[in-house]
Structures are given as structure tokens and as C-alpha cells.
Amino acid sequence: MTNAVIAFIGAGNMASSIIGGLLESGHPASSLHAADPSAESLANLRKLGPVHTYHNNADACAQADVVIVAVKPQVMRAALESIAAPVRKRGALVLSIAAGTTIASMEQSLGEGAAIVRCMPNTPALLGVGASGVYANAQVAPGQRELADRILGAVGLVEWVDAEPLLDAITALSGSGPAYFFLFMEAMINAGCSMGLSRECATTLTRQTALGAARMALESDVDLVELRRRVTSPGGTTERAVECFEHEGLRDLVAHAMTAAQQRAADMAADSEQETP
């Protein structure tokens, strides 16, 4: 299924990123279709390559092997209902990257027996370095799973889970995670400024430090605890700062915040199932 026909419902940033990643990986533009009510969004997609664009969702899905639904949760039901007929006719895989919409609620619109993969991506996918948590229902065939893995792998790494509720934890970890790092970086920059550094200097050093730390975490052959130990000299400045973080309960604060995010994700999923078809 190297040249599988892939249709996108919604042509926003995430759809554009996946299309860009697929084109870079060699997937032919002739096999990519996208629908969106915005002419501007479709025009931006065509700048990436000669993909087929439509204003009608069903038309975009007419020949699709995979349909990627990339719309806001509030229009999810209408989008699914608009593609239900061609999806059933083609036996297409539906891959949803909409937050808070469960497979059960999607089946209400698509019908029983639909092959559905639910994905929780994150915004670094816009740069090709995303992290996606993915769950497939029982109707997804092995070949369809491999295809979903290849599609999402075009914009970052992919982690499959064997229970749908675990996507709520992934939402709290990697889905919302970039914002946590941005907040910590903001705090570092502000602290640097209060110590006398210019905002430009503090910002430049904070960004580069975050990049360097992330690369070391990814590329080192030791775990994070050992990496931290190597930076933390006994009696030194880093040890003093780390002791302060520990004393102020940083670990508990992070756990509390992530639990709140997980619960919010679970609440959104429950709300989607309670909606009347």
C-alpha cells in the first residue's frame, strides 16, 4: 500500500504537516486528497505539491484507502456523517486526530464495523518531530495498522497503546507536554532577567539550553537520572537549585498537573459519547 490513496478532512496545520511529511517521504501527490470549506487553506495545501483539493468531504473520500479526520471536535460528528457512505463503500480506514472524540462516538456516525484508529499527536509534528499516541479498534487489519504507522511516522515517532483510555494519559504527557516545557522556559527567562540579563540574552540561552538538554536525553546511552547526576556536582550550583526544586515539591506539582489534564481528557471523551446522534 505504498501509494495508498489518503484523504484529509480538514486542511489545517496538522493536516498540512502530515501531507508535507508524506510528500517528503516519497508518497505521490496524486494519491493525496483533501477537503476543507476554506479556499485559502486548500490553496496553502497546493503550495506543498499538486494534491487534489475539494470543498465536498464525500468527493475527497471517493477513492480513499485511508481518511484522516483533522477537524475541531465541535464539527466532528457532521464531518463523520458526511463521509460515512464512501468510507463504508471503500472499507476505508478512518484515522482521527481530533481530541476528545472516542471510537464509540465515531462508530455512531460511521456505523458498526468501521476500522478506526484514534491518534493523539502533538504540535512538534508541525516540524516533523512530533510524538503520537495511537489506538486501533478491533476492525483495523494489520495492513491498515502498518499504513497508519507509516503515515504518522512521517511527522515523528508513534507509540501504540492497547487500551483507548490510555490516550488520556498520552494527552496529559505528550499532547499537552510542549506547553509545560514552554512554561518552564518562560520562568527561566524571567528569572534570568531578574538577575540582570537582558531578555534577548536570557531567551537565547534558555532556548539553546532546552535544545541541548533534549538532544542529550535522546542521543545519550544513559538514562535521565544519570544525565542529571553528571551535571550536578556535589556542593555546586546545580545541586543547590535541584535541592530547591525538590524541597518545593516540583515532582508532586508535575504529577498533579498531569492528572488534571488526564481527567479533563477523560471528561471530554465521556461528553462525546453522551451526545445524541
Side-chain angles (χ1 to χ4, degrees), residues 213-236:
R215 286 197 58 181
M216 289 182 71
L218 284 169
E219 299 173 15
S220 177
D221 58 356
V222 299
D223 63 19
L224 295 177
V225 173
E226 176 61 17
L227 285 174
R228 176 167 56 82
R229 188 193 67 77
R230 292 179 182 182
V231 182
T232 311
S233 301

Side-chain angles (χ1 to χ4, degrees), residues 25-215:
S25 69
H27 200 91
S30 59
S31 295
L32 299 177
H33 302 247
D36 195 282
S38 168
E40 181 180 0
S41 295
L42 295 177
N44 288 333
L45 276 190
R46 290 192 294 271
K47 293 177 183 177
L48 300 174
V51 301
H52 303 281
T53 57
Y54 310 80
H55 290 299
N56 183 279
N57 291 342
D59 290 344
C61 301
Q63 301 299 321
D65 300 301
V66 182
V67 179
I68 299 177
V69 186
V71 299
K72 296 183 183 301
Q74 57 265 34
V75 299
M76 184 67 165
R77 183 176 297 280
L80 292 174
E81 290 175 350
S82 72
I83 65 172
V87 163
R88 285 195 293 266
K89 181 178 180 180
R90 294 279 301 171
L93 171 68
V94 174
L95 195 164
S96 167
I97 59 175
T101 305
T102 65
I103 285 178
S105 66
M106 286 186 271
E107 288 174 339
Q108 291 178 358
S109 299
L110 295 171
E112 293 184 6
I116 303 173
V117 166
R118 184 180 164 202
C119 170
M120 181 64 230
N122 65 6
T123 54
L126 302 176
L127 301 178
V129 288
S132 297
V134 192
Y135 173 77
N137 70 357
Q139 285 68 46
V140 176
Q144 291 175 316
R145 181 183 172 115
E146 291 173 8
L147 182 54
D149 195 84
R150 185 174 67 81
I151 291 169
L152 296 171
V155 291
L157 65 82
V158 181
E159 286 287 334
W160 291 83
V161 295
D162 56 9
E164 188 176 5
L166 291 175
L167 290 179
D168 298 334
I170 287 174
T171 298
L173 181 67
S174 57
S176 300
Y180 311 157
F181 289 101
F182 298 150
L183 179 61
F184 195 82
M185 291 167 69
E186 286 180 53
M188 288 180 64
I189 291 167
N190 290 337
C193 291
S194 71
M195 295 173 183
L197 296 175
S198 69
R199 183 158 295 274
E200 180 181 5
C201 178
T203 299
T204 298
L205 291 175
T206 296
R207 288 172 172 171
Q208 186 66 21
T209 300
L211 173 63
R215 286 197 58 181

Side-chain angles (χ1 to χ4, degrees), residues 249-274:
L250 177 64
R251 295 176 190 268
D252 289 341
L253 178 60
V254 171
H256 180 69
M258 288 180 58
T259 299
Q262 179 189 31
Q263 184 58 55
R264 177 56 183 149
D267 291 344
M268 292 171 64
D271 289 344
S272 78
E273 292 186 353
Q274 292 172 6

